[in-house]
Amino acid sequence: MVTIKPHKLRRDDGLMKGPLLSFLLGAAGALAILIPFLIIDKGMFIYIGDYNSQQIPFYTYVQQFIRTGGTWSWATDLGSSVINSYSFYNIGSPFLWLTVLFPTSWVPFLMVPLFMLKFGGIAAAANLFLGRYAKTRNMAVIASLLYAFCGFNVYNIFFNHMLDPVVIFPLMLWALDGYMYQRKRGWFAIFVGLALLNSYFFFIGNAVFLLLYFGVKLAMREYSIDLKNLGLLVLEALLGVGIGMVLALPAFYNLMGNPRTSDFASGFGLVMYSNVQQYFAILSSVFLPPDPPYLPNLFTEGAIKWTSMSAFLPIVSVAGVIAYWRGRKKSPMKIVLGITLFMALVPILNSSFYAFNASYYARWYYMPVLIMCFMTMQTLEDESFDLVFGAKVTLGLTAVFAVFGLLPNEKDGQRVLGVAQYNSKLWLTILTAMLGIAIFYVLVRYYRHKVRFAPLLLSAVMGFSVFYSVAHISLGKFPQWDNDSNYMKEMYYGTKQLTLPNDQFYRIDAYNTYDNIGLWMDKSCLQTFNSVVTPSIMEFYPMVGVKRDVSSKPERRFYALRGLLSVKYTVMPTAKQEDFEAAMGEAEYQGNKGWVFYKEEGSFVVYENQNFLPLGFTYQNYVDLDNLRMAPESERSLLLVRAMGLTAEQAEQYGYLFSGGAYGNLLEETPQDGSPTNRFDYPAVNYEAYVQDIEARRTNASYDVQADASGFTSHIVLDKENLVFYAVPYDAGFSATVNGEPAEVLKVSGGLMAVQAPAGDNEIIFTYQTPGFQFGASVTMLSVSLLCLYLVLCLRSKQKAGKKAMAEGEPTPALPLPGDGEPSENAKQHLLLLEEKRRRAAERAERRRQQAEEEAARLALQEEQAEEETPASDAPPQNNNPEEE
């Protein structure tokens, strides 16, 4: 137990002592939460779902990619820009860049140390913001730990990268307050830039909240600013945005083509949620600890899973918020929190924190949670707030949720009590929340006026945070224990033991393996779990009947895709070999007939595709894409093996290159009702025809293909001029040369690429440069340079003003009140702290002046006495001791 001695209005406890203590306690708490699982998992923390599928492999892969360099990631789906695919996740994270100091093989084992740094960083950053308003270090530390171990952050251990913006956000508020109260220059620009570099997604929400925070404080006259300083604040914001352009600008270009970003709500969906449970889930997220991300228990209808919906504070819950709300009549923080609660309940306003997308998320709740921690800290420091009342009300409101555990219900034909999926889990959650607030009530009721209150409350916060966090992780982890028990064996060790040929480019497929095995093997893989990939992938897959939202997982029945997309091997765990072979005999998976056993090595069995097509080949036929879309989805990939998909304009321009011409016929039929209808007619497609088409494509296919992190090179011999098709996602960043001459890159077959090449032996080189990256990097460098110049000018201006004041004997000007009228209570407290510090500095200066005057008077007196004792003679005194001469 760490003891924090209470003290009054002391702001000179030593440099960063409060934030440093918060950091150490936050890091220690994270270690205490995760170390049981670290022991169980033998050194590598393994959780569930997205954490295993994305967080561990993303950190490992991107760290390796940074160390080796490049622009194009083949291991990300069919291929994607590494900047565009991972700027949402972690490529701009300062925590990821710390791992570059270590070998790549260490990264999976560094996840727990990174969690410690993140939770410690959250606590330290919160302390820095809250400490400005705190009367004592005690409660600033405790409030910062409430923020660090709030339900939002514990929930988002699952989404590891979502903790990074929680570290940065309090620093942005601290910098904004510092600018407005003390005219501290530059910090706001720095943290705005860091936030944008870290994640453009969360930056949007930060910007919305900062505007709200600034506007409310300005309207309440807690902030006061003239046009000059407002202009400089806007300049700092723009410089910060400019600093982040190196990653934000390429991401902007990429997202414009992503269908997930163009899905907006409409109609009633703008003002109300479609399911009433959504409202109850939002309110319960304040009172109850969060459920595991994939296991909502009480409210399951609506958008609940994966949404990060939690605003729970350990021990205190909303007791401090209720007490603050009751005891403080006028406060900007009340207005900010009230507005954010209203925004959470209105879909269109909720979505403003993530660019008005129709998909529901609560991934901005960490911002109002910080305001809740502020209110709690204020009530803990000021005994005029009735925290006993707040605790009683909170306890009662939490107990109300017990009603849902007593409602009569029917499950599996039996009458039961409770409407939750698992009633025992609901009672555990409710009792855990009530236990926390009961402990808080006892501490406030019996120890608030005692010296031991702060250390007891700190111990309670830390102990309860560890308890409920371990319970939360356990409830999510252990139901998936059997599924994830081989994760380290297969993904970390097994992928290293498995060796596949490296002679030329090919893709792999995965059968019943863990997600993103391609990242572990550094191979392009059909089975990929990444929400942000090249937009043309999102266009291509739905056209051929494959669902593509957050992942690419073409089913085995789409066997033609394996040949079309240059898949040469299928990798599976040894335990799944019999399942794979059994599927070969099923009619639905008849394409598995083309797979033969290749090798067994380590944890995996590998099968080779007899219908493999090299990357780069030609067609004799083309098919109009409008006609192709008339065919059944299940047959479109088969047709694309037979003919290249072209738009009508492309067919008109390049149709002469195809000796077989347009494939199939567009027939017009007149039904009995006389209305015309179109039907695309073509010979039947089946597995046997597919094998023949594969052989036909091989007659003019690349004989050598080499790929690297900057593109790929293909060598191909053509018997006549033609378009060469490449099953690589179309991206505007690709440029191509054919035999050294620039060539136009065409978007064909619904999102893939082709170039025109002459007859003979051709060398075709594709080079990738991320669109917007060079310009964004230039903007970033310019913004950093301008920020440095701005800081130098601000420093010189400050020094010049100080010298002028000293020369004229003027006192240091007082800080401006936050408003021309009566300041708010928060502003008063803040200014009192600053005034106290200034008063003590003035007292020290006065004491030094008096000491100097007294010393001068003493020296003057000594001189006068010496003059009186000296003989009145012009001659120097004679020495009467001749021996000394």
Side-chain angles (χ1 to χ4, degrees), residues 846-857:
E846 179 63 22
R847 285 196 299 269
R848 287 194 295 268
R849 186 187 65 78
Q850 291 177 358
Q851 291 172 357
E853 290 179 353
E854 291 174 358
E855 180 66 16

Side-chain angles (χ1 to χ4, degrees), residues 31 34-47 51-52 56 60 105-116 477 481 485 487-489 492-493 520:
L31 179 61
L34 296 174
I35 199 167
F37 308 104
L38 198 63
I39 295 171
I40 291 172
D41 297 327
K42 300 179 181 179
M44 181 191 296
F45 172 57
I46 299 171
Y47 194 11
Y51 177 82
N52 297 344
I56 299 177
T60 305
S105 61
W106 289 24
V107 174
F109 299 95
L110 292 175
M111 300 303 286
V112 169
L114 288 175
F115 274 123
M116 293 173 63
K477 176 181 175 65
W481 178 261
S485 59
Y487 185 87
M488 186 188 300
K489 175 185 174 183
Y492 186 77
Y493 293 110
W520 291 96

Side-chain angles (χ1 to χ4, degrees), residues 197 216 394 409 600 824 836:
L197 284 171
V216 170
T394 303
N409 193 20
E600 179 178 351
S824 70
E836 175 71 11

Side-chain angles (χ1 to χ4, degrees), residues 550-571:
V550 299
S551 62
S552 298
K553 294 182 178 179
E555 300 173 20
R556 299 299 303 176
R557 62 190 178 93
F558 294 100
Y559 58 86
L561 281 177
R562 274 67 186 179
L564 179 70
L565 299 177
S566 302
V567 175
K568 191 171 185 179
Y569 300 104
T570 289
V571 179

Side-chain angles (χ1 to χ4, degrees), residues 696-714:
R697 300 290 75 78
R698 286 173 175 166
T699 58
N700 284 112
S702 299
Y703 62 85
D704 180 61
V705 181
Q706 301 297 327
D708 58 29
S710 299
F712 64 98
T713 299
S714 164

Side-chain angles (χ1 to χ4, degrees), residues 362-658:
R363 293 172 178 169
W364 58 277
Y365 277 18
Y366 64 94
M367 293 182 271
V369 166
L370 183 59
I371 305 304
M372 294 169 60
C373 293
F374 170 91
M375 292 179 171
T376 303
M377 180 189 71
Q378 295 265 295
T379 57
L380 288 170
E381 290 188 322
D382 191 341
E383 294 184 4
S384 65
F385 290 104
D386 191 352
L387 274 175
V388 172
F389 171 82
K392 288 179 179 179
V393 173
T394 303
L395 191 63
L397 292 174
T398 305
V400 168
F401 290 96
V403 172
F404 295 103
L406 300 173
L407 291 175
N409 193 20
E410 185 172 332
K411 286 186 179 181
D412 301 325
Q414 296 182 349
R415 301 288 292 181
V416 297
L417 287 179
V419 295
Q421 294 283 350
Y422 305 97
N423 215 35
S424 58
K425 181 184 168 188
L426 172 63
W427 283 111
L428 175 64
T429 302
I430 294 173
L431 291 175
T432 298
M434 294 181 68
L435 172 64
I437 193 64
I439 293 173
F440 182 66
Y441 171 81
V442 171
L443 290 176
V444 172
R445 178 71 176 79
Y446 297 103
Y447 294 95
R448 189 176 188 185
H449 305 291
K450 298 182 180 181
V451 175
R452 291 181 294 169
F453 177 62
L456 285 174
L457 181 57
L458 173 62
S459 300
V461 169
M462 292 295 292
F464 184 84
S465 296
V466 172
F467 166 72
Y468 99 88
S469 300
V470 169
H472 172 84
I473 296 173
S474 298
L475 288 171
K477 176 181 175 65
F478 292 118
Q480 296 289 324
W481 178 261
D482 291 337
N483 293 339
D484 299 327
S485 59
N486 289 325
Y487 185 87
M488 186 188 300
K489 175 185 174 183
E490 292 182 10
M491 305 305 278
Y492 186 77
Y493 293 110
T495 54
K496 292 181 179 180
Q497 296 167 351
L498 180 60
T499 57
L500 293 176
N502 259 339
D503 52 343
Q504 65 173 335
F505 177 85
Y506 57 83
R507 291 192 174 97
I508 64 171
D509 196 8
Y511 181 77
N512 284 352
T513 67
Y514 294 107
D515 288 327
N516 285 326
I517 191 174
L519 296 179
W520 291 96
M521 298 180 64
D522 198 11
K523 297 286 186 184
S524 181
C525 181
L526 259 62
Q527 311 295 325
T528 301
F529 183 16
N530 188 319
S531 301
V532 189
V533 294
T534 299
S536 57
I537 294 176
M538 304 254 185
E539 180 183 348
F540 169 76
Y541 271 132
M543 190 193 71
V544 295
V546 176
K547 180 183 178 181
R548 211 318 173 177
D549 44 14
V550 299
S551 62
S552 298
K553 294 182 178 179
E555 300 173 20
R556 299 299 303 176
R557 62 190 178 93
F558 294 100
Y559 58 86
L561 281 177
R562 274 67 186 179
L564 179 70
L565 299 177
S566 302
V567 175
K568 191 171 185 179
Y569 300 104
T570 289
V571 179
M572 68 199 71
T574 53
K576 301 298 181 181
Q577 182 178 5
E578 291 184 4
D579 295 342
F580 182 80
E581 291 181 346
M584 292 182 181
E586 300 177 10
E588 186 180 8
Y589 301 105
Q590 59 180 325
N592 283 343
K593 296 175 182 177
W595 294 89
V596 297
F597 176 81
Y598 178 72
K599 69 187 298 187
E600 179 178 351
E601 192 171 34
S603 303
F604 296 104
V605 174
V606 182
Y607 278 71
E608 185 175 4
N609 185 11
Q610 298 298 293
N611 297 314
F612 165 73
L613 275 174
L615 189 69
F617 51 84
T618 64
Y619 294 87
Q620 283 74 49
N621 300 87
Y622 69 88
V623 58
D624 187 285
L625 287 174
D626 290 333
N627 293 345
L628 180 67
R629 292 185 178 94
M630 295 181 186
E633 288 183 341
S634 60
E635 297 184 359
R636 293 176 189 174
S637 57
L638 286 161
L639 290 172
L640 287 177
V641 176
R642 187 172 296 178
M644 183 185 294
L646 300 178
T647 64
E649 294 78 9
Q650 289 173 335
E652 183 177 354
Q653 183 175 357
Y654 300 104
Y656 73 96
L657 297 173
F658 296 85

